[in-house]
């Protein structure tokens, strides 16, 4: 049910106090909710709960929504990323009821006497309007997923190293049924049991164009902060899922995989010939391989630029990209930035083009790898957050419209929300 004028005002009047106590609300909310519903630990990323990214993201969306409650239509595009993520994690209507209950209780605890019964009803309505919008969109996505709307068992067919710390996993469905198509750039969630007895899911971009027999993901080892002393180097908090996949999940193992999802993709139904510029750093390369493969297969003459920055000795997918360039010499352009060049091993023009981090200003306009003059060029950017910010700022300064720059962040919350 919609809010009346008075309720809208009550909600808006309490926003400053809720913003001020955002961190406290989030910690009360998650603590109480997870105590009463420990099964939800299997859904939430434990690291993003601890470092506050997830609570901050949820609070920012709810308060932002409430502050703009009179302009609901304008807010819908902002929800696309989270709805896709929710669906890739099997979040359901009943979970929204639990979240709503514990969130309003946390608001009440923090607001104290200011949370009058009237204010509480107003907030319950506001939450239910938002939950309805999200679950409505999620119902559409689940419908598109068809019968695969939760976890599906896959067998790891093979694991192939792409560099010293990136491994591709070829995943075959155990039921042997053909795999549904996805849009290049999208991801799957992979769920594994972790040593603490919980399940943990993480997202991995599909790194191959769609094919009916297997999906491929490429996982980078996340070592975490290093701790070095005189004799050895060790790691304080090695990433839970990436290390587990790389060290413990070999060919033949079973993993749970979600239906592909995500709002960062190339729309292959829009068959225009507008140039595409793929700009990545590190493991941000994964969705770019899927996009490049899909385009070179289905639209072989479409102009496409591949710009990648790597710190690894072995640039991931280097040979594959060199093959694509050789097969499509008129349309496929590349630029590889390597920040650690190894003397005697690296050869300029062969293993790399620029001995530095990605610096778009170094690309000569004569070779036109950014297609800045075209006006309709689509830019796909994926890598560390600071890198994506710098690339976006550079492109915007060159006159590229924000709507033509798509970014994919490999984390939760902040950066993903900022771009909207
Ligand atoms: C849409 C999307 C697509 C993605 N695609 C890919 C992909 O194609 N390939 C890929 O490799 N990754 C991808 N990711 C990232 C991936 O989902 C995981 O986040 C990544 O593998 C790290 O997960 P993990 O479980 O290993 O690390 P986590 O255990 O989640 O830890 C994350 C980081 O936090 C640090 N940390 C953990 N605990 C602490 C602590 N107590 N104190 C301080 N630091 C701590 C860890 O060292 C690590 O650096 C994607 C993410 C998204 C959202
Ligand atoms: C109105 C209600 C909700 C809001 C506003 C909300 C908001 C968000 C946002 C902003 C993100 C981060 C998206 C991203 O950056 O990728 C997110 C992710 C997530 N949400 Fe929700 N959410 C809501 C309901 C729920 C419910 C009901 C559940 C399940 C109990 C849930 C579980 C999750 C999980 C598990 C993630 C991924 C967390 C991670 O990767 O760290 N959310 N949500």
């Amino acid at each position: 049910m919609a809010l009346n004028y008075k309720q809208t005002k009550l909600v808006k009047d309490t926003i400053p106090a809720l913003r001020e106590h955002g961190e406290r609300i989030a910690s009360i909310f998650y603590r109480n909710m997870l105590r009463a519903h420990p099964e939800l630990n299997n859904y939430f990323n434990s690291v993003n709960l601890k470092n506050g990214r997830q609570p901050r993201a949820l609070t920012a969306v709810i308060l932002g929504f409430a502050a703009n409650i009179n302009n609901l239509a304008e807010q819908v595009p902002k929800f696309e990323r989270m709805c896709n993520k929710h669906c890739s994690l099997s979040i359901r209507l009943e979970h929204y009821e639990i979240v709503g209950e514990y969130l309003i209780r946390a608001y009440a605890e923090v607001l104290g006497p200011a949370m009058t019964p009237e204010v509480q009803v107003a907030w319950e309505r506001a939450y239910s309007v938002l939950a309805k919008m999200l679950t409505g969109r999620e119902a559409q996505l689940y419908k598109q997923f068809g019968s695969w709307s939760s976890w599906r068992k896959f067998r790891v067919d093979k694991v192939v190293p792409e560099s010293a710390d990136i491994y591709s996993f070829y995943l075959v469905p155990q039921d042997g049924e053909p795999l549904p198509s996805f849009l290049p750039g999208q991801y799957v969630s992979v769920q594994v049991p972790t040593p603490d007895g919980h399940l943990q899911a993480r997202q991995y971009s599909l790194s191959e164009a769609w094919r009916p027999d297997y999906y491929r993901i490429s996982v980078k080892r996340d070592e975490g902060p290093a701790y070095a002393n005189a004799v050895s180097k060790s790691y304080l908090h090695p990433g839970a899922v990436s290390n587990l996949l790389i060290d413990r999940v070999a060919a033949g193992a079973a993993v749970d995989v979600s239906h592909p999802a995500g709002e960062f993709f190339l729309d292959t139904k829009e068959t225009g010939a507008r140039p595409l510029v793929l700009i990545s750093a590190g493991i941000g390369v994964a969705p770019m391989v899927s996009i490049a493969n899909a385009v070179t297969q289905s639209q072989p003459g479409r102009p496409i630029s591949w710009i990648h920055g790597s710190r690894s000795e072995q640039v991931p997918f280097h040979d594959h990209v060199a093959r694509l360039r050789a097969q499509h010499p008129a349309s496929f352009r590349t630029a590889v930035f390597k920040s650690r060049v190894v003397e005697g091993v690296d050869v300029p023009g062969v293993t790399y083009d620029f001995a530095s981090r990605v610096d778009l200003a170094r690309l000569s306009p004569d070779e036109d790898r950014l297609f800045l003059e075209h006006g309709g060029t689509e830019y796909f950017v994926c890598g560390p957050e600071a890198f994506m910010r710098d690339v976006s700022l550079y492109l915007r300064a060159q006159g590229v419209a924000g709507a033509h720059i798509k970014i994919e962040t490999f984390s939760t919350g902040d950066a993903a929300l900022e771009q909207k």
Side-chain angles (χ1 to χ4, degrees):
M1 198 191 294
L3 282 79
N4 61 32
Y5 174 76
K6 193 174 169 206
Q7 287 171 325
T8 306
K9 189 164 173 342
L10 289 175
V11 162
K12 287 191 173 182
D13 285 350
T14 46
I15 289 176
L18 294 173
R19 274 200 209 286
E20 197 186 322
H21 298 289
E23 300 278 317
R24 214 180 120 214
I25 291 171
S27 78
I28 296 171
F29 157 57
Y30 281 102
R31 190 191 56 225
N32 292 342
M33 181 174 77
L34 294 174
R35 199 175 283 159
H37 292 276
E39 75 282 3
L40 291 182
N41 281 304
N42 291 335
Y43 290 82
F44 286 97
N45 174 323
S46 60
V47 177
N48 288 338
L49 280 187
K50 261 188 228 141
N51 65 23
R53 284 201 101 157
Q54 165 63 15
R56 273 199 301 279
L58 182 123
T59 310
V61 169
I62 293 181
L63 296 182
F65 162 81
N68 296 290
I69 202 158
N70 300 328
N71 307 316
L72 293 185
E74 273 176 31
Q75 305 202 47
V76 173
K78 296 186 182 172
F79 299 154
E80 204 48 23
R81 180 177 164 94
M82 75 184 111
C83 289
N84 272 274
K85 212 178 230 184
H86 284 159
C87 290
S88 85
L89 291 164
S90 299
I91 307 298
R92 308 274 162 191
L93 193 58
E94 59 271 23
H95 297 129
Y96 276 86
E97 283 159 22
I98 302 172
V99 164
E101 182 189 335
Y102 286 90
L103 191 71
I104 305 285
R105 278 202 209 170
Y107 284 2
E109 197 171 327
V110 166
L111 288 177
M115 187 67 141
T116 61
E118 267 184 312
V119 174
Q120 177 152 342
V121 170
W123 264 110
E124 282 165 3
R125 288 230 174 130
Y127 176 82
S128 97
V129 172
L130 175 57
K132 214 168 187 175
M133 288 172 78
L134 300 185
T135 51
R137 175 65 186 128
E138 287 161 21
Q140 287 175 342
L141 291 170
Y142 280 127
K143 199 166 170 200
Q144 286 167 19
F145 291 4
S147 59
W148 180 9
S149 64
S150 184
W151 300 106
R152 181 168 170 184
K153 280 261 178 273
F154 277 65
R155 178 176 55 78
V156 176
D157 188 44
K158 58 180 173 174
V159 183
V160 176
E162 306 288 358
S163 71
D165 59 0
I166 297 178
Y167 293 78
S168 283
F169 289 74
Y170 290 72
L171 305 171
V172 175
Q174 280 192 350
D175 57 27
E177 293 295 317
L179 291 167
S181 63
F182 60 84
L183 294 166
Q186 289 191 303
Y187 59 81
V188 288
S189 288
V190 175
Q191 190 190 51
V192 290
T194 49
D196 62 5
H198 288 127
L199 298 169
Q200 282 286 285
R202 299 288 185 268
Q203 290 68 47
Y204 292 101
S205 304
L206 290 151
S207 63
E208 170 63 291
W210 170 73
R211 30 183 311 145
D213 49 347
Y214 70 79
Y215 285 163
R216 184 178 73 181
I217 58 170
S218 302
V219 180
K220 179 181 178 298
R221 188 188 286 285
D222 190 338
E223 287 174 322
Y227 169 82
N229 60 27
V231 280
S232 67
K233 185 175 173 191
S234 56
Y235 296 93
L236 284 175
H237 303 286
V241 176
S242 62
N243 287 284
L244 191 148
L245 286 172
I246 292 170
D247 295 332
R248 308 254 173 92
V249 176
V255 283
D256 283 323
V257 178
S258 76
H259 192 283
E263 84 306 349
F264 175 86
F265 56 75
L266 173 71
D267 187 352
T268 46
K269 288 183 206 95
E270 194 256 283
T271 49
R274 296 191 288 154
L276 294 175
V277 179
L278 313 178
I279 309 173
S280 56
I283 187 57
V285 70
M288 305 306 180
V289 191
S290 178
I291 296 175
N293 287 0
V295 172
T296 48
Q297 281 162 26
S298 62
Q299 292 182 281
R302 186 166 182 178
I304 180 163
S305 269
W306 172 278
I307 298 165
H308 179 67
S310 177
R311 296 171 60 189
S312 307
E313 255 177 51
Q314 187 189 347
V315 177
F317 302 102
H318 183 273
D319 294 350
H320 175 70
V321 171
R323 264 195 308 279
L324 289 182
R325 195 183 47 199
Q327 285 161 3
H328 305 274
S331 56
F332 200 92
R333 302 169 190 189
T334 61
V336 172
F337 289 80
K338 221 173 167 215
S339 50
R340 284 191 207 145
V341 169
V342 184
E343 229 173 278
V345 174
D346 280 310
V347 184
V350 180
T351 60
Y352 73 99
D353 300 293
F354 300 96
S356 73
R357 306 170 112 193
V358 173
D359 178 359
L360 299 181
R362 293 187 71 183
L363 298 175
S364 152
D366 301 341
E367 294 175 53
D368 201 14
R369 282 177 278 207
L370 290 177
F371 297 106
L372 290 168
E373 301 302 319
H374 186 279
T377 306
E378 282 183 86
Y379 298 85
F380 289 82
V381 188
C382 186
E385 283 169 20
F387 160 83
M388 294 194 290
R389 206 168 31 245
D390 289 350
V391 167
S392 295
L393 284 174
Y394 180 84
L395 293 174
R396 296 298 294 272
Q398 305 306 308
V400 176
H404 290 182
I405 307 172
K406 290 192 173 166
I407 73 162
E408 176 68 297
T409 160
F410 278 3
S411 63
T412 277
D414 309 353
L417 298 168
E418 271 167 25
Q419 70 174 298
K420 304 292 179 188

